PDB file of all heavy atoms in Angstrom:
ATOM      1  N   ALA E   1      -6.255   6.306  17.633  1.00 94.00           N
ATOM      2  CA  ALA E   1      -5.270   7.199  18.252  1.00 94.00           C
ATOM      3  C   ALA E   1      -4.225   7.651  17.238  1.00 94.00           C
ATOM      4  O   ALA E   1      -3.854   8.823  17.191  1.00 94.00           O
ATOM      5  CB  ALA E   1      -4.604   6.508  19.442  1.00 94.00           C
ATOM      6  N   VAL E   2      -3.765   6.724  16.397  1.00 93.00           N
ATOM      7  CA  VAL E   2      -2.787   7.088  15.373  1.00 93.00           C
ATOM      8  C   VAL E   2      -3.417   8.013  14.345  1.00 93.00           C
ATOM      9  O   VAL E   2      -2.798   8.974  13.887  1.00 93.00           O
ATOM     10  CB  VAL E   2      -2.197   5.812  14.722  1.00 93.00           C
ATOM     11  CG1 VAL E   2      -1.378   6.142  13.491  1.00 93.00           C
ATOM     12  CG2 VAL E   2      -1.348   5.073  15.722  1.00 93.00           C
ATOM     13  N   ALA E   3      -4.681   7.762  13.996  1.00 92.00           N
ATOM     14  CA  ALA E   3      -5.367   8.645  13.053  1.00 92.00           C
ATOM     15  C   ALA E   3      -5.518  10.046  13.621  1.00 92.00           C
ATOM     16  O   ALA E   3      -5.391  11.041  12.897  1.00 92.00           O
ATOM     17  CB  ALA E   3      -6.732   8.065  12.699  1.00 92.00           C
ATOM     18  N   ALA E   4      -5.758  10.155  14.917  1.00 92.00           N
ATOM     19  CA  ALA E   4      -5.872  11.474  15.540  1.00 92.00           C
ATOM     20  C   ALA E   4      -4.539  12.196  15.549  1.00 92.00           C
ATOM     21  O   ALA E   4      -4.498  13.428  15.400  1.00 92.00           O
ATOM     22  CB  ALA E   4      -6.407  11.334  16.969  1.00 92.00           C
ATOM     23  N   ARG E   5      -3.447  11.484  15.693  1.00 92.00           N
ATOM     24  CA  ARG E   5      -2.122  12.120  15.673  1.00 92.00           C
ATOM     25  C   ARG E   5      -1.719  12.547  14.273  1.00 92.00           C
ATOM     26  O   ARG E   5      -0.874  13.409  14.106  1.00 92.00           O
ATOM     27  CB  ARG E   5      -1.070  11.153  16.222  1.00 92.00           C
ATOM     28  CG  ARG E   5      -1.206  10.909  17.711  1.00 92.00           C
ATOM     29  CD  ARG E   5      -0.144   9.996  18.212  1.00 92.00           C
ATOM     30  NE  ARG E   5       1.170  10.606  18.036  1.00 92.00           N
ATOM     31  CZ  ARG E   5       2.310   9.934  18.119  1.00 92.00           C
ATOM     32  NH1 ARG E   5       2.289   8.649  18.358  1.00 92.00           N
ATOM     33  NH2 ARG E   5       3.455  10.545  17.953  1.00 92.00           N
ATOM     34  N   ARG E   6      -2.329  11.935  13.247  1.00 91.00           N
ATOM     35  CA  ARG E   6      -1.988  12.267  11.866  1.00 91.00           C
ATOM     36  C   ARG E   6      -2.934  13.284  11.245  1.00 91.00           C
ATOM     37  O   ARG E   6      -2.704  13.715  10.128  1.00 91.00           O
ATOM     38  CB  ARG E   6      -2.004  10.997  11.017  1.00 91.00           C
ATOM     39  CG  ARG E   6      -0.925  10.032  11.376  1.00 91.00           C
ATOM     40  CD  ARG E   6      -1.011   8.809  10.532  1.00 91.00           C
ATOM     41  NE  ARG E   6       0.134   7.934  10.768  1.00 91.00           N
ATOM     42  CZ  ARG E   6       0.398   6.876  10.060  1.00 91.00           C
ATOM     43  NH1 ARG E   6      -0.382   6.527   9.069  1.00 91.00           N
ATOM     44  NH2 ARG E   6       1.460   6.150  10.340  1.00 91.00           N
ATOM     45  N   THR E   7      -4.009  13.667  11.918  1.00 92.00           N
ATOM     46  CA  THR E   7      -4.999  14.581  11.375  1.00 92.00           C
ATOM     47  C   THR E   7      -4.783  15.980  11.932  1.00 92.00           C
ATOM     48  O   THR E   7      -4.667  16.169  13.140  1.00 92.00           O
ATOM     49  CB  THR E   7      -6.420  14.099  11.716  1.00 92.00           C
ATOM     50  OG1 THR E   7      -6.567  12.758  11.256  1.00 92.00           O
ATOM     51  CG2 THR E   7      -7.466  14.973  11.062  1.00 92.00           C
ATOM     52  N   CYS E   8      -4.764  16.969  11.034  1.00 91.00           N
ATOM     53  CA  CYS E   8      -4.582  18.360  11.441  1.00 91.00           C
ATOM     54  C   CYS E   8      -5.897  18.886  12.015  1.00 91.00           C
ATOM     55  O   CYS E   8      -6.953  18.741  11.391  1.00 91.00           O
ATOM     56  CB  CYS E   8      -4.154  19.200  10.241  1.00 91.00           C
ATOM     57  SG  CYS E   8      -3.998  20.956  10.626  1.00 91.00           S
ATOM     58  N   PRO E   9      -5.889  19.517  13.182  1.00 91.00           N
ATOM     59  CA  PRO E   9      -7.142  20.027  13.754  1.00 91.00           C
ATOM     60  C   PRO E   9      -7.681  21.261  13.031  1.00 91.00           C
ATOM     61  O   PRO E   9      -8.865  21.567  13.138  1.00 91.00           O
ATOM     62  CB  PRO E   9      -6.767  20.355  15.201  1.00 91.00           C
ATOM     63  CG  PRO E   9      -5.300  20.487  15.212  1.00 91.00           C
ATOM     64  CD  PRO E   9      -4.772  19.658  14.097  1.00 91.00           C
ATOM     65  N   LYS E  10      -6.851  21.956  12.258  1.00 90.00           N
ATOM     66  CA  LYS E  10      -7.297  23.177  11.574  1.00 90.00           C
ATOM     67  C   LYS E  10      -7.907  22.875  10.210  1.00 90.00           C
ATOM     68  O   LYS E  10      -8.980  23.379   9.883  1.00 90.00           O
ATOM     69  CB  LYS E  10      -6.141  24.156  11.430  1.00 90.00           C
ATOM     70  CG  LYS E  10      -5.695  24.730  12.755  1.00 90.00           C
ATOM     71  CD  LYS E  10      -4.625  25.771  12.561  1.00 90.00           C
ATOM     72  CE  LYS E  10      -4.193  26.343  13.907  1.00 90.00           C
ATOM     73  NZ  LYS E  10      -3.103  27.309  13.757  1.00 90.00           N
ATOM     74  N   CYS E  11      -7.210  22.097   9.389  1.00 89.00           N
ATOM     75  CA  CYS E  11      -7.683  21.853   8.021  1.00 89.00           C
ATOM     76  C   CYS E  11      -8.296  20.466   7.832  1.00 89.00           C
ATOM     77  O   CYS E  11      -8.817  20.169   6.761  1.00 89.00           O
ATOM     78  CB  CYS E  11      -6.547  22.056   7.028  1.00 89.00           C
ATOM     79  SG  CYS E  11      -5.187  20.882   7.212  1.00 89.00           S
ATOM     80  N   SER E  12      -8.228  19.613   8.812  1.00 88.00           N
ATOM     81  CA  SER E  12      -8.792  18.257   8.804  1.00 88.00           C
ATOM     82  C   SER E  12      -8.189  17.358   7.734  1.00 88.00           C
ATOM     83  O   SER E  12      -8.822  16.412   7.285  1.00 88.00           O
ATOM     84  CB  SER E  12     -10.313  18.301   8.647  1.00 88.00           C
ATOM     85  OG  SER E  12     -10.884  18.996   9.724  1.00 88.00           O
ATOM     86  N   ARG E  13      -6.989  17.635   7.298  1.00 88.00           N
ATOM     87  CA  ARG E  13      -6.300  16.752   6.363  1.00 88.00           C
ATOM     88  C   ARG E  13      -5.539  15.696   7.163  1.00 88.00           C
ATOM     89  O   ARG E  13      -4.975  15.989   8.199  1.00 88.00           O
ATOM     90  CB  ARG E  13      -5.313  17.540   5.502  1.00 88.00           C
ATOM     91  CG  ARG E  13      -5.957  18.445   4.502  1.00 88.00           C
ATOM     92  CD  ARG E  13      -4.880  19.043   3.606  1.00 88.00           C
ATOM     93  NE  ARG E  13      -5.437  20.048   2.746  1.00 88.00           N
ATOM     94  CZ  ARG E  13      -5.287  21.356   2.921  1.00 88.00           C
ATOM     95  NH1 ARG E  13      -4.573  21.805   3.927  1.00 88.00           N
ATOM     96  NH2 ARG E  13      -5.831  22.210   2.088  1.00 88.00           N
ATOM     97  N   ARG E  14      -5.523  14.483   6.621  1.00 89.00           N
ATOM     98  CA  ARG E  14      -4.784  13.407   7.276  1.00 89.00           C
ATOM     99  C   ARG E  14      -3.491  13.173   6.511  1.00 89.00           C
ATOM    100  O   ARG E  14      -3.498  12.996   5.305  1.00 89.00           O
ATOM    101  CB  ARG E  14      -5.592  12.120   7.321  1.00 89.00           C
ATOM    102  CG  ARG E  14      -4.837  11.024   8.075  1.00 89.00           C
ATOM    103  CD  ARG E  14      -5.573   9.758   8.187  1.00 89.00           C
ATOM    104  NE  ARG E  14      -6.704   9.935   9.064  1.00 89.00           N
ATOM    105  CZ  ARG E  14      -7.587   8.979   9.333  1.00 89.00           C
ATOM    106  NH1 ARG E  14      -7.464   7.804   8.778  1.00 89.00           N
ATOM    107  NH2 ARG E  14      -8.587   9.208  10.140  1.00 89.00           N
ATOM    108  N   TYR E  15      -2.387  13.160   7.239  1.00 88.00           N
ATOM    109  CA  TYR E  15      -1.073  13.010   6.642  1.00 88.00           C
ATOM    110  C   TYR E  15      -0.554  11.600   6.854  1.00 88.00           C
ATOM    111  O   TYR E  15      -1.104  10.833   7.637  1.00 88.00           O
ATOM    112  CB  TYR E  15      -0.104  14.042   7.242  1.00 88.00           C
ATOM    113  CG  TYR E  15      -0.407  15.443   6.769  1.00 88.00           C
ATOM    114  CD1 TYR E  15      -1.368  16.215   7.398  1.00 88.00           C
ATOM    115  CD2 TYR E  15       0.259  15.979   5.685  1.00 88.00           C
ATOM    116  CE1 TYR E  15      -1.664  17.487   6.954  1.00 88.00           C
ATOM    117  CE2 TYR E  15      -0.018  17.258   5.242  1.00 88.00           C
ATOM    118  CZ  TYR E  15      -0.983  18.005   5.877  1.00 88.00           C
ATOM    119  OH  TYR E  15      -1.268  19.250   5.421  1.00 88.00           O
ATOM    120  N   CYS E  16       0.531  11.262   6.168  1.00 87.00           N
ATOM    121  CA  CYS E  16       1.140   9.932   6.250  1.00 87.00           C
ATOM    122  C   CYS E  16       2.111   9.811   7.418  1.00 87.00           C
ATOM    123  O   CYS E  16       2.775   8.798   7.552  1.00 87.00           O
ATOM    124  CB  CYS E  16       1.879   9.613   4.955  1.00 87.00           C
ATOM    125  SG  CYS E  16       0.832   9.641   3.506  1.00 87.00           S
ATOM    126  N   TYR E  17       2.227  10.838   8.234  1.00 87.00           N
ATOM    127  CA  TYR E  17       3.154  10.851   9.360  1.00 87.00           C
ATOM    128  C   TYR E  17       2.477  11.572  10.530  1.00 87.00           C
ATOM    129  O   TYR E  17       1.489  12.281  10.348  1.00 87.00           O
ATOM    130  CB  TYR E  17       4.465  11.562   8.980  1.00 87.00           C
ATOM    131  CG  TYR E  17       4.260  12.946   8.426  1.00 87.00           C
ATOM    132  CD1 TYR E  17       4.227  14.051   9.267  1.00 87.00           C
ATOM    133  CD2 TYR E  17       4.094  13.157   7.068  1.00 87.00           C
ATOM    134  CE1 TYR E  17       4.026  15.323   8.762  1.00 87.00           C
ATOM    135  CE2 TYR E  17       3.901  14.421   6.546  1.00 87.00           C
ATOM    136  CZ  TYR E  17       3.864  15.496   7.398  1.00 87.00           C
ATOM    137  OH  TYR E  17       3.657  16.747   6.905  1.00 87.00           O
ATOM    138  N   CYS E  18       2.982  11.374  11.715  1.00 87.00           N
ATOM    139  CA  CYS E  18       2.411  12.017  12.891  1.00 87.00           C
ATOM    140  C   CYS E  18       2.807  13.493  12.903  1.00 87.00           C
ATOM    141  O   CYS E  18       3.953  13.842  12.635  1.00 87.00           O
ATOM    142  CB  CYS E  18       2.884  11.322  14.175  1.00 87.00           C
ATOM    143  SG  CYS E  18       2.226   9.669  14.328  1.00 87.00           S
ATOM    144  N   LEU E  19       1.858  14.341  13.232  1.00 89.00           N
ATOM    145  CA  LEU E  19       2.072  15.787  13.193  1.00 89.00           C
ATOM    146  C   LEU E  19       2.610  16.291  14.525  1.00 89.00           C
ATOM    147  O   LEU E  19       2.323  15.706  15.578  1.00 89.00           O
ATOM    148  CB  LEU E  19       0.752  16.493  12.873  1.00 89.00           C
ATOM    149  CG  LEU E  19       0.129  16.128  11.529  1.00 89.00           C
ATOM    150  CD1 LEU E  19      -1.246  16.763  11.403  1.00 89.00           C
ATOM    151  CD2 LEU E  19       1.018  16.568  10.400  1.00 89.00           C
ATOM    152  N   PRO E  20       3.349  17.393  14.519  1.00 88.00           N
ATOM    153  CA  PRO E  20       3.858  17.974  15.776  1.00 88.00           C
ATOM    154  C   PRO E  20       2.773  18.797  16.475  1.00 88.00           C
ATOM    155  O   PRO E  20       2.853  20.019  16.555  1.00 88.00           O
ATOM    156  CB  PRO E  20       5.028  18.836  15.305  1.00 88.00           C
ATOM    157  CG  PRO E  20       4.645  19.245  13.929  1.00 88.00           C
ATOM    158  CD  PRO E  20       3.869  18.098  13.350  1.00 88.00           C
ATOM    159  N   LEU E  21       1.747  18.137  16.977  1.00 84.00           N
ATOM    160  CA  LEU E  21       0.596  18.846  17.531  1.00 84.00           C
ATOM    161  C   LEU E  21       0.896  19.506  18.868  1.00 84.00           C
ATOM    162  O   LEU E  21       0.277  20.498  19.222  1.00 84.00           O
ATOM    163  CB  LEU E  21      -0.586  17.895  17.656  1.00 84.00           C
ATOM    164  CG  LEU E  21      -1.091  17.317  16.327  1.00 84.00           C
ATOM    165  CD1 LEU E  21      -2.237  16.356  16.566  1.00 84.00           C
ATOM    166  CD2 LEU E  21      -1.527  18.426  15.389  1.00 84.00           C
ATOM    167  N   ARG E  22       1.836  18.971  19.631  1.00 85.00           N
ATOM    168  CA  ARG E  22       2.159  19.595  20.926  1.00 85.00           C
ATOM    169  C   ARG E  22       2.972  20.870  20.759  1.00 85.00           C
ATOM    170  O   ARG E  22       2.783  21.825  21.495  1.00 85.00           O
ATOM    171  CB  ARG E  22       2.931  18.629  21.812  1.00 85.00           C
ATOM    172  CG  ARG E  22       2.069  17.557  22.392  1.00 85.00           C
ATOM    173  CD  ARG E  22       2.836  16.788  23.431  1.00 85.00           C
ATOM    174  NE  ARG E  22       1.994  15.767  24.001  1.00 85.00           N
ATOM    175  CZ  ARG E  22       2.364  14.955  24.948  1.00 85.00           C
ATOM    176  NH1 ARG E  22       3.581  15.040  25.440  1.00 85.00           N
ATOM    177  NH2 ARG E  22       1.543  14.061  25.424  1.00 85.00           N
ATOM    178  N   THR E  23       3.882  20.872  19.802  1.00 88.00           N
ATOM    179  CA  THR E  23       4.758  22.035  19.646  1.00 88.00           C
ATOM    180  C   THR E  23       4.173  23.065  18.694  1.00 88.00           C
ATOM    181  O   THR E  23       4.162  24.254  18.994  1.00 88.00           O
ATOM    182  CB  THR E  23       6.142  21.601  19.150  1.00 88.00           C
ATOM    183  OG1 THR E  23       5.991  20.874  17.932  1.00 88.00           O
ATOM    184  CG2 THR E  23       6.844  20.739  20.177  1.00 88.00           C
ATOM    185  N   VAL E  24       3.678  22.631  17.530  1.00 88.00           N
ATOM    186  CA  VAL E  24       3.179  23.570  16.531  1.00 88.00           C
ATOM    187  C   VAL E  24       1.669  23.703  16.626  1.00 88.00           C
ATOM    188  O   VAL E  24       1.125  24.791  16.472  1.00 88.00           O
ATOM    189  CB  VAL E  24       3.613  23.117  15.114  1.00 88.00           C
ATOM    190  CG1 VAL E  24       3.092  24.058  14.051  1.00 88.00           C
ATOM    191  CG2 VAL E  24       5.113  23.009  15.037  1.00 88.00           C
ATOM    192  N   GLY E  25       0.972  22.615  16.853  1.00 88.00           N
ATOM    193  CA  GLY E  25      -0.477  22.652  17.001  1.00 88.00           C
ATOM    194  C   GLY E  25      -1.233  22.382  15.720  1.00 88.00           C
ATOM    195  O   GLY E  25      -2.453  22.289  15.732  1.00 88.00           O
ATOM    196  N   SER E  26      -0.543  22.254  14.593  1.00 88.00           N
ATOM    197  CA  SER E  26      -1.197  21.982  13.320  1.00 88.00           C
ATOM    198  C   SER E  26      -0.155  21.417  12.359  1.00 88.00           C
ATOM    199  O   SER E  26       1.012  21.265  12.696  1.00 88.00           O
ATOM    200  CB  SER E  26      -1.812  23.262  12.748  1.00 88.00           C
ATOM    201  OG  SER E  26      -0.792  24.200  12.482  1.00 88.00           O
ATOM    202  N   CYS E  27      -0.608  21.185  11.124  1.00 88.00           N
ATOM    203  CA  CYS E  27       0.326  20.712  10.112  1.00 88.00           C
ATOM    204  C   CYS E  27       1.191  21.878   9.647  1.00 88.00           C
ATOM    205  O   CYS E  27       0.882  23.045   9.905  1.00 88.00           O
ATOM    206  CB  CYS E  27      -0.434  20.089   8.942  1.00 88.00           C
ATOM    207  SG  CYS E  27      -1.497  21.218   8.056  1.00 88.00           S
TER     208      CYS E  27
END
């Protein structure tokens, strides 16, 4: 679950922090 929150759905890069997927939708 944490890995899914840190992975961008557009570019598939995994970041060291949770992404704003609800508001922005990507990194």
